[in-house]
Amino acid sequence: MRRWNGWGEDDVDYPLDARAVGFLSDRIGAATTPGPETALDSILAQVPSSSWGDSGFDVSASARVLHARGQSYRDWLALKYGRIGPVADAVAFPESHEDVERALQSAVRRGAIVVPWGGGTSVAGHLDVPDSDRPVLNLSLARMNRLQGLDDVAQLAVFGAGTPGPQVDTQLRAKGFMLGHFPQSYEYSTVGGWVVTRSSGQQSLRYGRIENLFAGGRLVSPRGELQIRSVPASSAGPDLREFVLGSEGRLGVLSEVQVRVRRIAEREDFNAVFFPDWQHGVDAMRHLVQADLSLSMLRLSNEIETETQLTLAGHEKAILWLKRYLKLRGSGTRPVMLMLGMTGLNREVLRCRREALTVCKQSRGVHAGRMIGQGWAKNRFRGPYLRNTLWTMGYGVDTVETSINWPQSTALMRAIEQAAHDALAQENERVHAFTHLSHVYRQGCSIYSTFVFRCAGDYERDLARWQRLKARVSETIVSHGGTISHQHGVGTDHAPYLSAEKGPLGMDLLRACARELDPAGLMNPGKLFA
């Protein structure tokens, strides 16, 4: 069963051995108080009864609480401390496009706010139920989880917008196809959620971001249906897909999604290469992507993340052997690790590996084989479970991500980590900050930073600690010219910083689009913009 106040299935854990615990304690101090766990029953007992009993929707306290929050750190604290906040008056579970239309029409008649809900994995505050005098309806797409059609000639597939990643692939693979979209939240996030938050998968270098995969669909708005037709390309005015991509529920509910699919690849390999320092690693990464090699993934961990990953991996003897080997090859002091992904026909993968390793060698790269890469691939969606483990030990975890052009990438990466250190230093607290570049383009890359810090053991203090860290890091990103989000979307957490990127006229344009399709302002208020 899925955890109601954490990540993933409740019978899946990410244990840490004593060596890993000691590593963390050395860097930020031993946690003094385990994170609290409020019982679900005590929260349900506080939920007021709903006046929507005649609506035909689910008005149970459990459904309303389980749809009140996502997975942002603010959400995490609310769930753990039992500070859920407002909950919806009802939850709709449509099973078809027509059901979505009926549910939204019902909400419009009642003057109700509508918060669309897919997989509940948002880490940016997309699912917050607003504290409003208006009634609120959660519209869950969980039952719209099927492949509705496949054109194997045009290689187009239509899914219900609530289809989560594993079901997308299972249903496509049965017919010999795949989508290739693998975000960290893949196990639970949905194809519709990917579109409306402009998601990026781990192998976007081969398959593209969701905007490259999104071909069309149907959006139900308070004013009616916006249908996005699928054609290979068009010069007939602005592309309406762009109004839906990243719309975060402000325009309506995306009910059906048409995506571009492809045949299943013959072979896939992941290899690890180590470099003596960050500059050699980032130079190699840039040269690889600008050489247009047929890679599916490039992921470069900085010195601290490389050390952290090797420590958390366990297998102490194997890691000691690896470190000795790297030292002999001249990469033993503070190495950085680059993960190479190669996908395609067998001969293409082998050729690509030869070419990529040649480029890496020119930057003093040391090939460490496929074992580390295979381990990464096996556990690629396991990382978020570590958040549960660390919380029970008294530690909090959060992440930020951005993207920027190559010339500014190193300076911004260092500035993000320093901003996190400075934010917590105000409380005489330390943070373990580490970073990787995980999505690369000819002109630049994404930057993904993780922060581990001690919990205060008190809701208000923990919330204030996170708010200080989040604000300092976000301000740093904006001041350096990075985007406020490369793949997590805007929600409420990033909304204060969006205007710096879009400008006043751009923000007016977004608001005008929302007013046109949602004149009463019912759709997911507070996300993207106030």
Side-chain angles (χ1 to χ4, degrees):
M1 182 179 294
R2 186 171 172 183
R3 286 181 174 89
W4 74 274
N5 66 344
W7 180 265
E9 301 302 307
D10 56 15
D11 61 348
V12 178
D13 292 312
Y14 191 142
L16 292 178
D17 60 23
R19 180 166 167 263
V21 174
F23 171 84
L24 194 57
S25 180
D26 287 344
R27 279 150 184 79
I28 58 176
T32 56
T33 307
E37 293 278 350
T38 303
L40 179 58
D41 288 345
S42 68
I43 294 175
L44 296 180
Q46 301 171 32
V47 177
S49 59
S50 172
S51 61
W52 282 41
D54 62 343
S55 64
F57 304 136
D58 192 334
V59 297
S60 66
S62 58
R64 293 155 65 199
V65 165
L66 294 178
H67 289 81
R69 291 285 179 171
Q71 289 288 321
S72 75
Y73 196 73
R74 190 196 305 269
D75 293 330
W76 186 270
L77 293 178
L79 292 167
K80 294 297 188 181
Y81 280 100
R83 304 287 191 93
I84 295 296
V87 299
D89 296 272
V91 183
F93 290 95
E95 298 184 13
S96 67
H97 171 82
E98 291 72 25
D99 285 350
V100 174
E101 288 182 317
R102 284 189 285 270
L104 193 54
Q105 289 165 5
S106 177
V108 170
R109 286 194 298 271
R110 292 172 179 262
I113 287 168
V114 178
V115 180
W117 212 90
T121 61
S122 164
V123 293
H126 292 100
L127 305 177
D128 295 359
V129 174
D131 189 1
S132 172
D133 293 335
R134 288 175 167 179
V136 179
L137 175 69
N138 275 134
L139 201 153
S140 171
L141 299 166
R143 296 178 185 171
M144 298 179 64
N145 57 9
R146 292 178 295 278
L147 174 65
Q148 298 177 357
L150 174 67
D151 184 333
D152 59 359
V153 176
Q155 297 193 343
L156 292 168
V158 178
F159 283 95
T163 312
Q167 288 181 243
V168 168
D169 277 336
T170 297
Q171 294 176 78
L172 284 176
R173 283 182 178 275
K175 300 180 181 295
F177 288 89
M178 65 180 296
L179 180 62
H181 195 70
F182 304 111
Q184 182 77 80
S185 59
Y186 167 81
E187 292 179 301
Y188 302 103
S189 58
T190 62
V191 63
W194 299 339
V195 171
V196 299
T197 60
R198 299 192 80 108
S199 170
S200 188
Q202 292 168 345
Q203 291 171 265
S204 61
L205 190 56
R206 173 180 172 86
Y207 300 111
R209 290 165 52 89
I210 196 62
E211 54 259 44
N212 306 115
L213 301 172
F214 176 49
R218 303 173 77 181
L219 182 99
V220 182
S221 81
R223 277 198 58 192
E225 178 184 340
L226 177 66
Q227 187 161 3
I228 311 296
R229 291 183 55 218
S230 171
V231 291
S234 170
S235 66
D239 188 347
L240 293 181
R241 293 180 318 125
E242 291 293 336
F243 288 90
V244 178
L245 285 158
S247 58
E248 301 190 3
R250 290 307 302 260
L251 305 184
V253 181
L254 186 62
S255 62
E256 293 179 4
V257 180
Q258 188 173 49
V259 288
R260 302 178 177 104
V261 299
R262 64 181 70 203
R263 292 287 179 183
I264 297 172
E266 184 177 284
R267 177 171 176 168
E268 186 163 72
D269 280 355
F270 296 96
N271 288 252
V273 179
F274 289 84
F275 297 87
D277 54 49
W278 173 255
Q279 194 58 53
H280 280 89
V282 75
D283 285 346
M285 190 182 211
R286 178 173 56 83
H287 291 149
L288 285 165
V289 69
Q290 291 179 346
D292 293 326
L293 301 184
S294 300
L295 293 158
S296 61
M297 187 187 78
L298 286 170
R299 179 188 178 111
L300 179 67
S301 297
N302 72 1
E303 308 92 331
I304 305 172
E305 180 167 293
T306 298
E307 182 184 17
T308 302
Q309 287 186 328
L310 294 179
T311 301
L312 296 183
H315 310 294
E316 187 172 357
K317 290 183 179 179
I319 297 301
L320 286 173
W321 179 90
L322 173 64
K323 289 181 176 180
R324 284 196 295 267
Y325 174 68
L326 292 176
K327 188 174 182 180
L328 287 171
R329 296 290 303 273
S331 296
T333 305
R334 297 197 76 199
V336 300
M337 181 173 68
L338 175 66
M339 198 73 71
L340 301 165
M342 290 149 281
T343 307
L345 297 173
N346 185 65
R347 64 177 181 275
E348 293 174 336
V349 169
L350 294 176
R351 182 179 67 250
C352 181
R353 183 169 64 185
R354 287 194 302 270
E355 294 172 344
L357 292 179
T358 298
V359 173
C360 289
K361 191 174 181 179
Q362 293 168 356
S363 291
R364 296 177 58 191
V366 177
H367 183 212
R370 296 169 55 196
M371 185 180 72
I372 294 176
Q374 288 172 332
W376 176 86
K378 179 181 178 181
N379 297 300
R380 63 193 300 184
F381 306 120
R382 193 170 169 233
Y385 283 93
L386 185 58
R387 200 181 193 190
N388 302 324
T389 303
L390 290 170
W391 180 262
T392 64
M393 296 166 55
Y395 295 107
V397 185
D398 199 23
T399 62
V400 300
E401 39 78 38
T402 181
S403 72
I404 200 164
N405 292 337
W406 286 114
Q408 293 81 38
S409 58
T410 294
L412 178 52
M413 180 196 73
R414 302 296 188 200
I416 288 171
E417 293 187 356
Q418 187 61 50
H421 289 295
D422 293 344
L424 266 64
Q426 296 179 20
E427 299 183 62
N428 293 318
E429 287 289 330
R430 291 178 287 167
V431 60
H432 185 52
F434 50 91
T435 302
H436 63 256
L437 313 183
S438 55
H439 303 275
V440 292
Y441 311 90
R442 293 182 61 85
Q443 70 272 25
C445 60
S446 72
I447 302 172
Y448 193 106
S449 297
T450 300
F451 313 111
V452 184
F453 46 90
R454 297 198 302 180
C455 297
D458 173 82
Y459 174 76
E460 281 75 17
R461 288 174 62 201
D462 275 327
L463 179 60
R465 180 171 295 177
W466 170 78
Q467 287 174 325
R468 185 179 299 111
L469 185 151
K470 184 74 171 180
R472 181 69 70 89
V473 169
S474 298
E475 290 162 2
T476 299
I477 289 171
V478 170
S479 68
H480 281 71
T483 177
I484 195 58
S485 179
H486 169 267
Q487 65 209 57
H488 289 163
V490 178
T492 55
D493 291 353
H494 299 144
Y497 309 98
L498 188 63
S499 60
E501 186 169 330
K502 303 298 184 187
L505 195 57
M507 295 303 298
D508 286 347
L509 182 59
L510 294 179
R511 292 188 181 96
C513 291
R515 283 196 302 271
E516 190 64 30
L517 294 183
D518 176 27
L522 303 178
M523 298 305 306
N524 213 15
K527 319 315 187 293
L528 283 178
F529 49 82

